[in-house]
Amino acid sequence: MPSARPFAADPDRTLTISADHTAHRKFLRHLDRYLSDSKKILDAWDAYSDEHTDLDGWPYDDHAYGMRASQRDADTAEAFENIRSGARHLLATADVQLGNLPTAAVQNRWVYQLGVLQAALDQLDELHEQWLETHDSLPANAQPGTPAFDDALAEHHAESWSYLDDWASHGQALREINSAARNTPSPLAPPPTTAPAPGRRTPVRK
């Protein structure tokens, strides 16, 4: 089995695992919500794109098409905010779970998918830092609703979208690994004991 630790460790991006199982379940629910919301957003975009492009894939109205793509990017970014704070916890937990699973319980694609998710999250964090710098450099009168602000934010969302899509495409692997870990008996668990059937007495040796 390939190594279950595919991540290029960055000392400034420590993967941490919380012992709080309630928090882990909460982060998994946030993941489920993002996977559901991002699918709805992408399905709506695909339907729009099919209707507003010709047989060669060229949009009938470039401006309207670009505006609709920007809305897709913004909606996906907003959906991801709910999971952002728990994303590294989920990755770290899945990494440990994967390392403890028996070979027969592991899907070969999981290592690759964790690597994709890790790389995408690193890029999203970098882009977020760049956006904060861009935001601070905008003129004081560049508020939401002004072209200067909205254009800069749209560019940020456009740069982030492919990495957000990576999480939409591969995030289910975190759920699958968690399920496999929960369904695999611990090697440290004691062997089951054989109890007498109800209503029957164990013979007493004389």
Side-chain angles (χ1 to χ4, degrees), residues 67-112:
M67 293 295 292
R68 182 61 182 80
S70 293
Q71 186 63 53
R72 175 205 63 187
D73 301 344
D75 290 344
T76 308
E78 181 179 358
F80 188 76
E81 284 307 305
N82 195 42
I83 191 181
R84 182 185 290 275
S85 64
R88 292 196 179 278
H89 164 91
L90 290 173
L91 283 171
T93 302
D95 186 34
V96 172
Q97 290 172 328
L98 188 57
N100 290 330
L101 285 173
T103 302
V106 174
Q107 297 285 336
N108 290 334
R109 59 183 168 81
W110 285 345
V111 171
Y112 165 76

Side-chain angles (χ1 to χ4, degrees), residues 116-171:
V116 171
L117 293 171
Q118 176 64 50
L121 187 59
D122 288 345
Q123 290 296 321
L124 287 169
D125 283 351
E126 290 183 14
L127 289 169
H128 181 68
E129 292 299 320
Q130 292 175 17
W131 162 247
L132 293 178
E133 294 176 4
T134 298
H135 180 271
D136 290 343
S137 69
L138 292 173
N141 62 350
Q143 300 297 319
T146 63
F149 182 94
D150 291 352
D151 289 349
L153 184 58
E155 182 177 351
H156 166 65
H157 286 157
E159 292 172 343
S160 302
W161 187 81
S162 66
Y163 305 114
L164 296 170
D165 191 51
D166 284 340
W167 268 78
S169 300
H170 298 286

Side-chain angles (χ1 to χ4, degrees), residues 19-96:
D20 185 348
H21 296 293
T22 301
H24 182 62
R25 289 192 293 269
K26 179 185 72 173
F27 293 146
L28 286 172
R29 288 195 300 270
H30 289 174
L31 172 66
D32 292 342
R33 179 67 180 271
Y34 176 70
L35 295 177
S36 175
D37 288 349
S38 60
K39 183 180 186 304
K40 291 176 183 176
I41 293 167
L42 186 58
D43 286 348
W45 163 254
D46 288 342
Y48 173 89
S49 183
D50 288 344
E51 185 178 349
H52 293 83
T53 56
D54 62 23
L55 295 178
D56 294 323
W58 293 99
Y60 298 129
D61 185 327
D62 287 338
H63 176 73
Y65 193 83
M67 293 295 292
R68 182 61 182 80
S70 293
Q71 186 63 53
R72 175 205 63 187
D73 301 344
D75 290 344
T76 308
E78 181 179 358
F80 188 76
E81 284 307 305
N82 195 42
I83 191 181
R84 182 185 290 275
S85 64
R88 292 196 179 278
H89 164 91
L90 290 173
L91 283 171
T93 302
D95 186 34
V96 172

